[in-house]
Amino acid sequence: MISGDVQVGADSEMLQRLVIFGGAGDLTRRYLLPALSRLQAAGRLPSGFEIVAADRDDIATNAYREAAAGWLAQHAPTVASTARHDLARMLVYRQADALDPGSVHETLQPDLGPTAVYLALPPSVFGPAIAALTSAGLPSGSRLGIEKPFGTSLAHARELNRLVRRCLPEDAVFRIDHFLGMQMVQNLVGLRFANRVLEPVWNCHHVDAVEIVWDETLTLEGRGYYDAVGALRDMVQNHLLQLLALVGMEPPARLDARGLRDRKTDLLRAVRRFSPEEVDRHTVRARYTAGSVRGRQVPAYLDEEGVDRDRDTETFVQVTLRVDNWRWAGVPFVLRTGKALATDRREITIRFRPVPLPALAGAAPPNLLRIPLDPESLSLDLNLNAAGERFGFERVSLAQPMAPPRLPAYGWVLLALLGGDPMLSIRADEAEESWAIIEPILDAWAAGVAPLSSYAAGSHGPGQP
Ligand code: BG6
């Protein structure tokens, strides 16, 4: 974000109530409650704020609060214990079936006024859950947050958008992508458009390749939904394509939600839809086998709990996309992500073309602009004369670590939902354009193109040590 802050409305416009369906699930435990505790610690939650955690299990509110205190101790240990305690007291647990309109109505208690509803559910049940919300009737002024991935295919995303339109106006719908809440991701717009030196070289005449990498040492670690989804749908369809859109888009007409989303959508429309032959040449999919990640023994993905051995679920994907527009013609955009890899490397790298002087080209490696996303920093690799040498160069890296973010990514995203700022979420057409890029890859894979390969857990990926 240009100002380094989310432009949410004044506190009076913040919704006073958040209902989380999937309130006992992994996302709520690991991300939503910890982020809410940080918002509480930062004084960003309105007084009298209430959080209703709704899920299928029969749990008393007190027992839920106790469990929540444990999750917060594990996932938000640096948040002041008073803030964690205060947050636990805002929690109310309700047993509910998110797919049953009667149960949803009871949980929403529409008389209590506008509510932020968060679907922390797997994509397979978004449709019935949105239909149930529509039948139950959301109080006017309510907003809906829908966790990613937004559907499982283009047709599914379209269907979900149709259902959502019947439920709420588009500006009240927040298709969540927490990467948009990361500080460095918010800063991409400022980096690109508030620095005159970058824009003239930000194109195919000067850029050789763009790499967007999200390598994780993390393994499956109990994320049950992942097996039905895989790396392409879990990470590329949303997070990495959003990064691509922000890196590649044209300058927005206005620095507001519409300006940004218009330009991101344009960029996504320009990404080439691959033929099966291009899928074969430009995609790699793989799954980890047993190995050791940072000294920890990791079982093969297929031996992880809850994994269906008959599925071809990939835990690693690399896709080299092309953006067929005037700015980016011919520039490869390499998107890569995987689990159980040797290192946590999360960064965008812009590699510039070699200098056009043949006499220097070999001696002067290409300039690199690196944008690490976690931890966040920025560095530019330049070639400078080595001491005492006229045409010998040494590499100099101008590096700047960023101040730690004031809030975690989910903190910004939740604040935007509660405050009604759509900037940090995905618009209906953006979601569909992203699926339109992914769909030909999924179809070709289903037909056996680019067969699934493997890599040892703890390695740098398929074919690498
Ligand atoms: C989630 C993906 O959206 O993002 C996970 O479902 C991934 O598979 C995670 O590990 C990465 O984001 P973070 O913020 O947990 O590093």
Side-chain angles (χ1 to χ4, degrees), residues 31 147-148 178-179 182 214 216 218 223 225-226 234-235 238-239 339 346 374 410:
Y31 291 99
E147 188 45 49
K148 59 124 275 256
H178 78 283
F179 275 38
M182 285 179 188
W214 193 269
E216 298 180 312
L218 197 89
R223 292 164 190 234
Y225 76 94
Y226 187 89
D234 180 51
M235 291 293 295
N238 33 75
H239 302 324
K339 297 211 181 289
R346 297 148 168 167
D374 187 17
Y410 267 102

Side-chain angles (χ1 to χ4, degrees), residues 211-215 240 334 336-337 345-348 373:
E211 242 192 17
I212 300 176
V213 173
W214 193 269
D215 282 358
L240 301 196
V334 181
R336 158 191 158 121
T337 184
R345 183 178 158 229
R346 297 148 168 167
E347 71 179 27
I348 300 171
L373 301 172

Side-chain angles (χ1 to χ4, degrees), residues 206-209 349-356 360-370 379-384 393-397:
H206 297 280
V207 172
D208 210 13
T349 307
I350 315 290
R351 194 176 73 226
F352 291 92
R353 289 180 180 278
V355 291
L360 296 187
N367 298 126
L368 291 180
L369 178 66
R370 289 179 214 268
S379 74
L380 178 62
D381 290 0
L382 299 174
N383 301 306
L384 291 188
F393 299 98
E394 73 189 2
R395 201 75 165 153
V396 172
S397 190

Side-chain angles (χ1 to χ4, degrees), residues 1-7 186-195 246 249-263 421 423:
M1 191 75 37
I2 303 70
S3 64
D5 205 345
V6 173
Q7 306 294 306
Q186 295 187 48
N187 283 338
L188 279 174
V189 177
L191 174 72
R192 287 199 50 199
F193 302 122
N195 292 295
L246 287 165
M249 70 181 185
E250 296 301 313
R254 289 202 187 161
L255 292 173
D256 56 15
R258 178 175 163 196
L260 236 67
R261 289 158 142 203
D262 282 352
R263 294 295 80 84
D421 175 12
M423 178 99 87

Side-chain angles (χ1 to χ4, degrees), residues 132-176:
L133 278 172
T134 311
S135 310
L138 277 166
S140 122
S142 294
R143 300 187 190 114
L144 174 61
I146 306 171
E147 188 45 49
K148 59 124 275 256
F150 187 70
T152 51
S153 65
L154 177 58
H156 190 205
R158 284 189 178 140
E159 172 60 14
L160 290 178
N161 277 336
R162 263 194 298 276
L163 289 168
V164 163
R165 271 194 289 276
R166 277 190 228 140
C167 186
L168 282 169
E170 176 63 29
D171 64 3
V173 180
F174 291 70
R175 293 170 195 78
I176 303 289

Side-chain angles (χ1 to χ4, degrees), residues 41-55:
R44 304 297 291 257
L45 293 180
S47 60
F49 190 64
E50 185 186 57
I51 304 164
V52 179
D55 218 318

